[in-house]
Amino acid sequence: MNKYITIILLALLATLSACTDDDSFSASTANTLTFSADTVTFDTLFSRVPTATRTFWVYNHSGDGIRCSSVRLENGNQTGYRVNVDGIYLGSAQGYQTNEIEIRDKDSIRVFVELTSPENHAKTPQLLEDNIVFTLKSGVQQKVNLRGYSWDADIIGMLEIRHDTTISAVDKPLIIQQGLRVDSGATLTVARGSTIYFGQRAGMDIYGRLVADGTAEKNVIFRGDRIDKMFDYLPYDRVPGQWQGIHFHTSSYENRLNYTDIHSAYNGVVCDSSSVERLKLQAYNTTIHNCQGYGLKETNCVVDLWNCQITNTLSDCAAFFGGGAMLRHCTIAQFYPFDANRGVALRFSNYDGDKDYPLYQFDVYNTLVTGYADDVVMGDFNKSTDATYMFSHCILRTIKPDTINEQQFRHVTFENVEDTAAITGAKHFRDIDADKQYYDFHLDSLSTAIDSAEVLPNGYSATDRDGRQRDSRPDIGAYEYHHDSSATPAALPRRRR
């Protein structure tokens, strides 16, 4: 028994000795702290909108304990930064500081930083700086810099358009946090060069009419409101599902998107079933990219697409269930990187679920359809109703039919996915970088889409998605390879040419 008591006493002495060593604190100016970052950066943010939380670590590698007589936010509450040091919030009750913080040798503490910046009353983003000041017992001061660019914006919760209205969000960003609704009978016009930012749960519900009238130089942009980064290499603007997208309801007709950029939504554009005697949507020179649902979903209505890029979606990039559609000079590409169970690039059908919808017209000219998978084109039909379709001068990444029906496929190239030397899939484009979520769907110089389109009448092959002039041997897809001049696009008729 005495033997065990002796062992226990020796262990306690050793523990007390270790605690004594750890609890020794130095006031030498040679003993300082080490930080995991000397600057905490928030990039650009909207004023009055809280940021995500940034963190950094404070380490003590000095060889002895260090006491901080104070840790404070240098400018107090003047800049909008909020700081928590080792579980202690530096708020007004504490004078934006905390005292007597101890960091033992080989120990660390964590600091959390957020920012809700005040308005700066300027048209451009303004630098907003502060410092967290660590004052050691030795008198040494160490600082971690806080910096971000604050951008004033008009912030609206729910915006309801009851009468004809024009929105211009050119000089100052417009943020819609809850949603935008256009009532039946009203038209919302969005001026060229406008960018409208949406909160994650916000989208556009169109019961009336939407006109987005951009130009080649001044696109209209619809996007999410996160302008910071998820990682150093990945802005939130490249992450899908940042907002809810555009929904054209049954009562909505004659919508027009021209030189419009819609990206990083849940569903990019959804068109509900309506009368096929009226045009539902005209989309010219429009991009729909990087969606967590569909890019474009059309159900039993009439849509007219020209020079459109529809790319990278979890569900189908472009899906047409009945109705009528005309596609000219479009690029439809499925390189969605987040889920191998992604949809196809192009789907067309005469039913959706248990409902039949006649596909009375589906004409596709000079269009490039490709992607990662071996087959990204899906025509799916039942025999209960009509299904009429035609492809002319297109490149399709799909299985070539055993027998070519000239009424359905005219001068169509079926990508040979087994030929590794062929220019197929990603090889058509300038840059497909899934790691950084960066995609450039302009044609690469080796693409077989170059000089392979037919010249369409009425100026439909005159210009490309960027407003650049096409030459006398136009290229398949939305983009012409290496041309600089621009022309004004002409109107596109509904019916087959």
Side-chain angles (χ1 to χ4, degrees), residues 83-131:
V83 177
N84 185 297
V85 178
D86 199 29
I88 302 171
Y89 175 59
L90 307 189
S92 58
Q94 292 80 27
Y96 303 98
Q97 67 177 13
T98 185
N99 302 317
E100 302 301 327
I101 292 289
E102 296 181 348
I103 309 175
R104 292 175 171 81
D105 183 35
K106 300 182 180 61
D107 203 352
S108 62
I109 61 173
R110 196 174 188 183
V111 179
F112 300 83
V113 185
E114 295 176 346
L115 171 60
T116 302
S117 66
E119 288 189 292
N120 57 54
H121 306 291
K123 290 185 177 181
T124 57
Q126 300 295 306
L127 179 62
L128 195 64
E129 279 192 291
D130 209 335
N131 293 294

Side-chain angles (χ1 to χ4, degrees), residues 297-327:
K297 182 183 180 184
E298 171 270 316
T299 303
N300 195 46
C301 55
V302 179
V303 297
D304 179 6
L305 310 180
W306 174 42
N307 281 344
C308 289
Q309 173 195 318
I310 310 175
T311 46
N312 290 24
T313 61
L314 177 57
S315 297
D316 304 326
C317 291
F320 302 86
F321 300 101
M326 183 84 77
L327 286 73

Side-chain angles (χ1 to χ4, degrees), residues 275-292:
S275 172
V276 296
E277 299 302 317
R278 298 177 62 185
L279 180 65
K280 183 81 169 183
L281 171 66
Q282 179 189 81
Y284 289 173
N285 309 296
T286 289
T287 296
I288 305 172
H289 175 66
N290 196 30
C291 298
Q292 201 173 3

Side-chain angles (χ1 to χ4, degrees), residues 400-436:
K400 184 177 180 180
D402 294 332
T403 302
I404 301 295
N405 184 335
E406 294 294 337
Q407 297 300 313
Q408 295 174 336
F409 300 102
R410 302 194 306 226
H411 301 284
V412 170
T413 298
F414 296 90
E415 287 192 349
N416 184 355
V417 297
E418 296 178 353
D419 184 358
T420 58
I423 303 302
T424 61
K427 296 180 182 179
H428 284 292
F429 307 113
R430 278 187 195 167
D431 200 349
I432 304 295
D433 188 342
D435 292 334
K436 295 183 178 179

